[in-house]
Amino acid sequence: MNNAKLFIISAPSGCGKGTLIKELSRDNEIFNSISCTTRAPREGELDGVHYNFITREEFGRLAENDGFLEHAEFSGNCYGTPKAPVEQKLAAGIDVLLEIEPQGAFQVKAKMPEAVMLFILPPSISSLDRRLHRRAQESGETEEMIQKRLSTAKGDIERAYDYDYVMVNGDLDKAVSDLKNIFHSAKNGGEGLESFKAANQKEIIDEVLKNA
Ligand code: 5GP
């Protein structure tokens, strides 16, 4: 039987999800979907590797022709998951991972209720704030841009209550082990994942938001 699963991971920017996903992909056969976006590439980002960087016109055409599994606007740019590769991989029995923001995540869940939704929380808003400031020193982002990211992050975290599972990226080793545990157990029906269920992480989400 084809047991391939679709995993959706959302996390605010600056939360360190890239490192976690790299660790998960290292020893698991999992297809990381490459999104289309209308935003400009950042330094070091390659077309066709990190994203398919396309124009608004191309994006609009793809959307009209039902080329996306989901798409959304985030921080003034369009992002979308190409539908065909995801469907092909799942049909071939390969697990698929989408790393997308909440609007898109809920669109996918509505179409494919068996998809597993995971939200990765920062340990606190102040840790996110520190990380975004550190990153901005390298990228040259302005304070205004950082504040916009923080406010978007808060809005995203408010949606964590409705995900299937929620985990915290505090200690890196623990977070990698939690992510692998969630991935493997969710593939086998979700046994042993009670503590990660969003309903059981409510106080942690409350706590992160309280200090926001
Ligand atoms: P960034 O521009 O920092 O790479 O990504 C901004 C946000 O867009 C992140 O939350 C990321 O998860 C999300 N994102 C990336 N690709 C997609 C996509 O295909 N669809 C949606 N809905 N969000 C995406």
Side-chain angles (χ1 to χ4, degrees):
M1 198 186 84
N2 182 345
N3 187 31
K5 274 248 177 251
L6 179 59
F7 288 88
I8 307 169
I9 296 188
S10 302
S13 68
C15 193
K17 68 185 159 216
T19 312
L20 294 181
I21 290 173
K22 220 181 278 164
E23 287 296 323
L24 178 70
S25 305
R26 199 197 299 277
D27 49 8
N28 292 285
E29 193 193 2
I30 183 157
F31 171 71
N32 286 284
S33 161
I34 301 172
S35 298
C36 293
T37 183
T38 60
R39 83 151 161 78
R42 296 193 187 116
E43 209 179 306
E45 282 184 336
L46 300 172
D47 189 33
V49 177
H50 297 94
Y51 279 106
N52 296 311
F53 295 99
I54 62 176
T55 63
R56 281 213 169 236
E57 290 67 37
E58 287 169 315
F59 197 97
R61 230 175 294 131
L62 276 167
E64 256 170 43
N65 293 324
D66 200 25
F68 291 126
L69 183 58
E70 60 72 37
H71 60 96
E73 189 146 342
F74 181 93
S75 278
N77 294 302
C78 301
Y79 294 84
T81 303
K83 187 153 92 173
V86 172
E87 289 180 347
Q88 283 159 11
K89 295 292 174 187
L90 289 174
I94 297 167
D95 296 321
V96 173
L97 188 132
L98 309 181
E99 193 253 284
I100 61 179
E101 53 66 67
Q103 302 168 69
F106 287 103
Q107 287 176 41
V108 177
K109 186 75 174 179
K111 284 186 192 162
M112 303 165 98
E114 65 291 352
V116 175
M117 290 173 88
L118 168 68
F119 197 96
I120 303 178
L121 284 175
S124 65
I125 291 287
S126 57
S127 71
L128 201 63
D129 187 300
R130 276 197 302 276
R131 223 181 146 122
L132 287 175
H133 275 92
R134 216 180 307 136
R135 211 163 69 171
Q137 282 181 342
E138 292 157 21
S139 67
E141 272 190 10
T142 62
E143 185 60 31
E144 194 190 340
M145 284 153 96
I146 299 173
Q147 291 310 321
K148 191 155 178 262
R149 279 186 188 278
L150 272 175
S151 129
T152 307
K154 287 169 202 165
D156 283 358
I157 294 170
E158 278 164 7
R159 311 213 53 188
Y161 296 104
D162 295 319
Y163 276 60
D164 295 314
Y165 302 109
V166 175
M167 57 167 272
V168 178
N169 185 15
D171 173 74
L172 181 63
D173 289 342
K174 175 162 190 324
V176 170
S177 138
D178 285 350
L179 179 61
K180 289 183 177 173
N181 180 13
I182 292 169
F183 173 78
H184 290 295
S185 301
K187 259 193 87 63
N188 298 308
E191 211 171 301
L193 292 180
E194 275 306 306
S195 65
F196 291 106
K197 284 206 171 145
N200 296 324
Q201 295 275 30
K202 189 178 168 304
E203 282 173 21
I204 296 174
I205 309 171
D206 288 346
E207 187 63 29
V208 173
L209 285 172
K210 198 171 75 192
N211 299 312

